[in-house]
Amino acid sequence: MSRGFLGYQTSLMLDVVVCALVLVVPLVILSLYLVKVRHNYLWHRNLQILLGVTLLVAVGAFEIDMQLVHGGWENIVSRREPSRSPEEMQTIRYFLWFHLCFAVTTPVLWIITMQKALKHFPNPPTPSAHSHSHKRLGWLSTIDLVMTSLTGLWWYYVAFIR
Ligand code: HEM
């Protein structure tokens, strides 16, 4: 578990998570299409659960790899040739903090949205008294996830490609 597969000097799990960040956006769009256009609430629910579990497993494995195997992101970034100046490392750190604003709140919002939806919608799901609150939470979770994805990819670009 030491080298990435996208052609940059990263780690395997970092590249796995970057692929997951790219994949979640079309999957979220598909889920919204299913619910808004096709009114297919069952597949919307199934896709959202699949997305949540996949992301949780990918990010969990990524964190274990990053913290326990590599000893933190700075060790991976500083392996890069030519090496980064302290100023560049600081810029990369700021980008990471910006990304973390979204990355930390997304799983919290996602779990709340999912837990409430599973509890308050009937099975199989159909619009109900919970719809109004779910739409608000759902859009908030969706925007947070998309921002996590965009800022995560941006950080990867700044740290490893630029
Ligand atoms: C974190 C996971 C989820 C997110 C981010 C999410 C997101 C959304 C969004 C944004 C909408 C509104 C679409 C619109 O503007 O019309 C929506 C609608 C809906 N979702 Fe979810 N959803 C999630 C999980 C679930 C689950 C687990 C269920 C079922 C148990 C569910 C059932 C529904 C239903 C029935 C509607 C239609 C509500 C209506 O039009 O009255 N969602 N969802």
Side-chain angles (χ1 to χ4, degrees), residues 34-36 38-46 116-135:
L34 284 172
V35 78
K36 275 188 84 79
R38 303 300 299 266
H39 303 293
N40 192 332
Y41 308 112
L42 186 63
W43 273 99
H44 165 72
R45 179 195 73 185
N46 295 346
K116 281 183 176 288
L118 290 172
K119 186 169 172 204
H120 297 293
F121 281 123
N123 186 14
T126 50
S128 74
H130 181 59
S131 290
H132 182 68
S133 150
H134 178 72
K135 279 186 185 180

Side-chain angles (χ1 to χ4, degrees), residues 3-162:
R3 280 279 179 244
F5 52 84
L6 296 176
Y8 306 103
Q9 294 164 46
T10 63
S11 73
L12 175 68
M13 282 313 297
L14 201 55
D15 283 6
V16 169
V17 165
V18 160
C19 291
L21 287 179
V22 172
L23 268 176
V24 293
V25 177
L27 286 178
V28 165
I29 292 171
L30 175 63
S31 181
L32 288 172
Y33 167 77
L34 284 172
V35 78
K36 275 188 84 79
V37 180
R38 303 300 299 266
H39 303 293
N40 192 332
Y41 308 112
L42 186 63
W43 273 99
H44 165 72
R45 179 195 73 185
N46 295 346
L47 200 54
Q48 293 301 101
I49 293 174
L50 183 77
L51 255 173
V53 172
T54 310
L55 277 176
L56 219 60
V57 171
V59 171
F62 165 71
E63 279 302 328
I64 291 171
D65 178 59
M66 179 77 97
Q67 304 304 337
L68 301 184
V69 179
H70 296 283
W73 66 271
E74 297 197 17
N75 283 337
I76 301 177
V77 175
S78 56
R79 263 200 329 240
R80 211 193 116 161
E81 295 290 340
S83 64
R84 301 298 200 159
S85 68
E87 292 74 27
E88 283 173 320
M89 287 301 277
Q90 189 57 36
T91 306
I92 295 169
R93 193 171 294 114
Y94 287 144
F95 273 97
L96 183 62
W97 288 345
F98 184 53
H99 165 65
L100 287 178
C101 297
F102 303 101
V104 168
T105 50
T106 296
V108 178
L109 266 176
W110 203 266
I111 288 168
I112 293 173
T113 308
M114 188 94 83
Q115 187 267 331
K116 281 183 176 288
L118 290 172
K119 186 169 172 204
H120 297 293
F121 281 123
N123 186 14
T126 50
S128 74
H130 181 59
S131 290
H132 182 68
S133 150
H134 178 72
K135 279 186 185 180
R136 268 214 250 163
L137 268 176
W139 277 113
L140 215 58
S141 307
T142 302
I143 292 165
D144 212 5
L145 180 66
V146 171
M147 285 305 291
T148 301
S149 172
L150 293 179
T151 56
L153 295 174
W154 193 9
W155 180 78
Y156 185 91
Y157 171 78
V158 172
F160 298 108
I161 303 178
R162 195 177 60 158

